[in-house]
Amino acid sequence: MFTKYLVSGAFLGVAGGGYYWLNAPRDQSHLSLDLMLNKLEALSQSSFETQGSWDASRTFHHLAQSVEFSMSGFPEQKSPIFQKTVGKLAYKVFNARGAMTHGLDEVIPGETVTADGQIQTALVRLKNSLLEFKGYEADMKPHFAYGQLDKADYAIAHVLHINNHLEEFRMT
């Protein structure tokens, strides 16, 4: 009987701690769109190479489409049950960690693949999509996996997504 109470108490303690960790207030200033735009501007003035399976042009177009879809709507959505459970939890964990990890060669469901080899053009598209997002006043469209996000959460999601892809970039 004692073991049952001990296990139940431990579970409740871990669950409560996990809930607090996921929902605790955090300083997200390092995840700002302005800092990301500065980072991308510095990148546009540098020489770099990618270590992943996508070239830089493909990566920048992918990232731009993700930002654009947050305003225009994603072509395909995961189920509402997925979005409210797995998707919501994934976003909360990424947000709490201040970092995202995902398959860096996975397309957004319904994404139009653009691999034109025009690195600077693709990078300008990404920067312009972020600038458009900053000025966007209408309702945000649901994320294909996370579901409905407000603009502040979307901004963090975009920065986390871009940072994750930039992990494959090396300055030369």
Side-chain angles (χ1 to χ4, degrees), residues 54 58-75 107-115 122 125-126 129-130 154 158 161:
W54 289 352
R58 173 71 186 94
T59 299
F60 294 145
H61 282 302
H62 164 79
L63 293 167
Q65 280 189 323
S66 180
V67 175
E68 293 160 2
F69 288 153
S70 68
M71 297 177 281
S72 66
F74 285 81
V107 299
I108 297 166
E111 176 182 1
T112 303
V113 175
T114 306
R125 178 184 180 190
L126 174 56
S129 70
L130 289 171
Y154 246 127
H158 290 319
H161 186 208

Side-chain angles (χ1 to χ4, degrees), residues 1-15:
M1 190 67 139
F2 174 75
T3 304
K4 179 179 173 182
Y5 289 119
L6 182 64
V7 170
S8 296
F11 173 77
L12 290 174
V14 169

Side-chain angles (χ1 to χ4, degrees), residues 2 7 18-19 30 32 37 65 70 74-75 79 92 107 112 115 118 143 150 163:
F2 174 75
V7 170
Y19 178 83
H30 66 288
S32 78
L37 285 162
Q65 280 189 323
S70 68
F74 285 81
S79 74
K92 284 187 171 271
V107 299
T112 303
Q118 302 297 314
H143 186 275
D150 64 21
N163 278 335

Side-chain angles (χ1 to χ4, degrees), residues 10-124:
F11 173 77
L12 290 174
V14 169
Y19 178 83
Y20 175 78
W21 179 74
L22 288 174
N23 293 289
R26 292 181 169 70
D27 175 17
Q28 301 286 23
S29 60
H30 66 288
L31 299 175
S32 78
L33 291 174
D34 288 331
L35 288 176
M36 179 52 66
L37 285 162
N38 291 340
K39 185 183 228 182
L40 294 174
E41 184 58 34
L43 188 64
S44 72
Q45 305 298 320
S46 305
S47 296
F48 56 86
E49 59 185 30
T50 61
Q51 306 294 320
S53 61
W54 289 352
D55 67 12
S57 167
R58 173 71 186 94
T59 299
F60 294 145
H61 282 302
H62 164 79
L63 293 167
Q65 280 189 323
S66 180
V67 175
E68 293 160 2
F69 288 153
S70 68
M71 297 177 281
S72 66
F74 285 81
E76 296 177 20
Q77 295 281 321
K78 298 276 189 183
S79 74
I81 291 172
F82 181 94
Q83 290 176 350
K84 291 178 182 176
T85 56
V86 176
K88 183 176 183 176
L89 180 60
Y91 175 75
K92 284 187 171 271
V93 169
F94 295 152
N95 188 334
R97 288 179 50 220
M100 174 187 287
T101 54
H102 75 295
L104 297 178
D105 59 356
E106 293 178 8
V107 299
I108 297 166
E111 176 182 1
T112 303
V113 175
T114 306
D116 59 12
Q118 302 297 314
I119 295 171
Q120 288 302 320
T121 301
L123 185 51
V124 167

Side-chain angles (χ1 to χ4, degrees), residues 47-51 166-172:
S47 296
F48 56 86
E49 59 185 30
T50 61
Q51 306 294 320
L166 291 181
E167 292 171 10
E168 292 189 323
F169 285 60
R170 302 289 177 258
M171 299 309 216
T172 56

